[in-house]
């Protein structure tokens, strides 16, 4: 940044301008989870907070999540096609923050005091108190810049908590509707 001015990308938008514009878009917050059966004697659960998650198709039922290239989740989802999504409620801000931390502790410790059940289809953790859960199988991976778009077929769903509102992310903060 010569002179303190952000250097625009070749198309004219700096990282700061891009982030500022997109921070005005409210997004739902989910926890993406997967079980790595090859890690340790009993395998290991891993999780990642995501706000770039959306429905792609009704027939077949497809969803998409964007994961950072070469992240632990990206590496695992390249090998493990089965994973899960927990749609976080407004009261689960702490869970979202825990799995979004940079330089965080091991995933085993992150799951330690979070109530969850193991998905029957994916074997991945499904967070207790979530608004909805989905178990998925990767159908396609598309590299897009510094992220990979993982498109998956939804194999099972559950709606255990209909009474709470969603956790959202807006202007760089987790927020509760209502």
């Amino acid at each position: 940044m010569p002179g303190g001015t952000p250097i625009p990308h070749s198309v004219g938008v700096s990282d700061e301008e891009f982030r500022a514009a997109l921070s005005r878009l409210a997004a739902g917050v989910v926890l993406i989870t997967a079980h790595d059966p090859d890690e340790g004697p009993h395998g290991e659960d891993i999780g990642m907070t995501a706000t770039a998650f959306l429905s792609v198709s009704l027939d077949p039922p497809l969803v998409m999540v964007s994961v950072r290239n070469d992240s632990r989740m990206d590496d695992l989802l390249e090998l493990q096609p089965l994973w899960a999504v927990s749609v976080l409620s407004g009261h689960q801000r702490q869970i979202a923050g825990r799995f979004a931390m940079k330089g965080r502790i091991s995933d085993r410790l992150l799951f330690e005091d979070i109530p969850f059940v193991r998905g029957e289809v994916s074997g991945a953790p499904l967070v207790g108190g979530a608004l909805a859960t989905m178990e998925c199988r990767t159908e396609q991976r598309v590299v897009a810049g510094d992220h990979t778009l993982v498109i998956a077929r939804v194999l099972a769903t559950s709606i255990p908590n209909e009474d709470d509102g969603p956790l959202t992310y807006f202007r760089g903060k987790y927020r509760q509707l209502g």
Side-chain angles (χ1 to χ4, degrees), residues 19-145:
R19 281 190 190 107
L22 288 181
S23 76
R24 276 33 178 209
L25 176 64
V29 182
V30 300
L31 183 66
I32 304 296
T33 56
H35 183 74
D36 183 353
D38 298 329
E39 189 65 37
H42 304 291
E44 184 177 21
D45 297 319
I46 70 165
M48 175 195 94
T49 301
T51 56
F53 175 80
L54 56 97
S55 167
V56 173
S57 169
L58 184 60
D59 186 18
L62 298 175
V63 293
M64 185 198 75
V65 66
S66 177
V67 297
R68 180 174 288 284
N69 294 343
D70 301 320
S71 66
R72 186 154 185 224
M73 185 62 76
D74 181 43
D75 292 344
L76 179 56
L77 293 185
E78 190 169 19
L79 303 171
Q80 167 60 282
L82 298 173
W83 48 280
V85 179
S86 295
V87 179
L88 299 180
S89 78
H91 294 96
Q92 294 179 311
R93 178 183 307 206
Q94 201 170 25
I95 293 172
R98 178 184 290 192
F99 284 90
M101 289 188 304
K102 292 182 195 261
R104 64 188 199 198
I105 59 175
S106 78
D107 284 88
R108 182 182 52 78
L109 294 174
L110 292 176
F111 281 103
E112 198 168 72
D113 61 348
I114 294 175
F116 69 86
V117 297
R118 196 159 296 285
E120 290 182 27
V121 175
S122 67
L126 303 171
V127 176
L131 296 178
T133 62
M134 291 168 256
E135 294 184 80
C136 306
R137 182 186 65 233
T138 299
E139 299 261 319
Q140 187 176 2
R141 293 172 49 89
V142 179
V143 175

Side-chain angles (χ1 to χ4, degrees), residues 10-21:
S10 59
V11 293
V13 177
S14 71
D15 290 351
E16 293 80 13
E17 291 168 323
F18 184 67
R19 281 190 190 107

